[in-house]
């Protein structure tokens, strides 16, 4: 992978997604700035920073989880695929550049919009003489710090939880590589079905353990071993999803199979 060629592809992907990037920044700007502006019209002591920071964190978290469904959205039409194939770069460079735009550039735009909105809402509060208004950024950092402190001394649980989140992100990337026409809707439907099946299996497993205990058997489950198994399975599943999505990207054609993609 050549650095200059990759940077050119990345710039092209950023140019292609500039409207989406601007939309993300404006949406997160509005999440913070508009509620405070409307609140100040009603009361000089309005303070919406706490609620808007939670809303922004939730929205960004949901997007990061399901961002993978957007990696293939620029290849929906035949002309879009032709334009992508004609780029003077390898498929690996194109895939990585597209992924960076979806998983890094758009969240960064959202964070910048959030910070700008926080500054505006604080300035508006200052103009209205509101000393009770807080910084949404401070509330957001406080919430993130709470989760960090909550996991101190629970390394095994923290690692397995982080791997599970990454695996979930990778799962949506896998689904986005399969369903091209309605990736978000189809991915959510599949996710709900898979989640229902896993919950059912988990309930049956717990029921089996309870029955064994009722029959007089001693059932011992070691948390560390369970976390280790979940971590290993999560890493393996994540690698599989990324590899599958990349191979699917390299095998795209101008005219694709219509059973799934059209």
């Amino acid at each position: 992978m050549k650095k200059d060629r990759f940077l050119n592809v990345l710039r092209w992907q950023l140019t292609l997604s500039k409207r989406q990037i601007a939309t993300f920044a404006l949406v997160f700007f509005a999440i913070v700035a508009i509620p405070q502006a409307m609140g100040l019209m009603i009361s000089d002591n309005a303070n919406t920073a706490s609620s808007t920071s939670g809303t922004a964190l939730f929205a960004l978290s949901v997007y990061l989880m399901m961002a993978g469904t957007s990696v293939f959205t620029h290849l929906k039409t035949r002309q879009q695929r032709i334009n992508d194939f004609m780029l003077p770069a390898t498929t690996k460079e194109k895939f990585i550049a597209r992924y960076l735009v979806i998983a890094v550039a758009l969240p960064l735009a959202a964070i910048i919009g959030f910070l700008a909105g926080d500054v505006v809402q604080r300035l508006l509060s200052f103009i209205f003489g509101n000393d009770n208004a807080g910084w949404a950024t401070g509330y957001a950092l406080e919430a993130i710090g709470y989760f960090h402190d909550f996991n101190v001394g629970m390394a095994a649980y923290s690692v397995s939880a982080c791997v599970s989140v990454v695996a979930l992100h990778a799962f949506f990337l896998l689904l986005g590589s399969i369903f091209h026409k309605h990736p978000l809707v189809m991915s959510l439907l599949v996710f709900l079905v898979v989640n229902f099946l896993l919950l059912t299996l988990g309930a049956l497993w717990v029921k089996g353990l309870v029955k064994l205990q009722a029959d007089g058997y001693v059932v011992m489950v070691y948390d560390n071993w369970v976390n280790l198994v979940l971590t290993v399975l999560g890493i393996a599943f994540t690698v599989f999803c990324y590899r599958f999505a990349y191979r699917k990207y390299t095998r795209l054609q101008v005219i694709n199979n219509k059973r799934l993609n059209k």
Side-chain angles (χ1 to χ4, degrees), residues 11 17 37 42 53 59 66 93 108 184-185 200 228 245 251 258:
R11 280 193 290 267
S17 305
I42 300 173
S53 65
M66 299 188 298
E93 292 166 344
L108 281 177
L184 181 58
V185 175
T200 303
L228 178 61
R251 283 164 172 73
K258 296 184 178 181

Side-chain angles (χ1 to χ4, degrees), residues 155-183:
Y157 294 98
S158 300
V159 171
S160 61
C162 291
V163 170
S164 298
V165 171
V166 175
L168 185 58
H169 170 83
F171 181 56
F172 277 99
L173 174 63
L174 170 71
L175 296 176
S177 69
I178 297 174
F179 304 108
H180 294 174
K181 190 173 183 181
H182 303 292

Side-chain angles (χ1 to χ4, degrees), residues 191-212:
F191 170 73
L192 291 175
V193 171
V194 172
N195 195 44
F196 173 77
L197 293 176
L198 290 177
L199 289 175
T200 303
L201 291 175
L204 292 175
W205 182 65
V206 172
K207 183 179 180 181
L209 292 180
V210 173
K211 185 178 183 303
L212 286 174

Side-chain angles (χ1 to χ4, degrees), residues 78 81 85 248-257:
R78 181 185 303 181
R81 290 190 289 272
F85 294 157
K248 193 72 164 46
Y249 189 93
T250 60
R251 283 164 172 73
L252 284 175
Q253 300 177 359
V254 174
I255 300 177
N256 286 311
N257 190 321

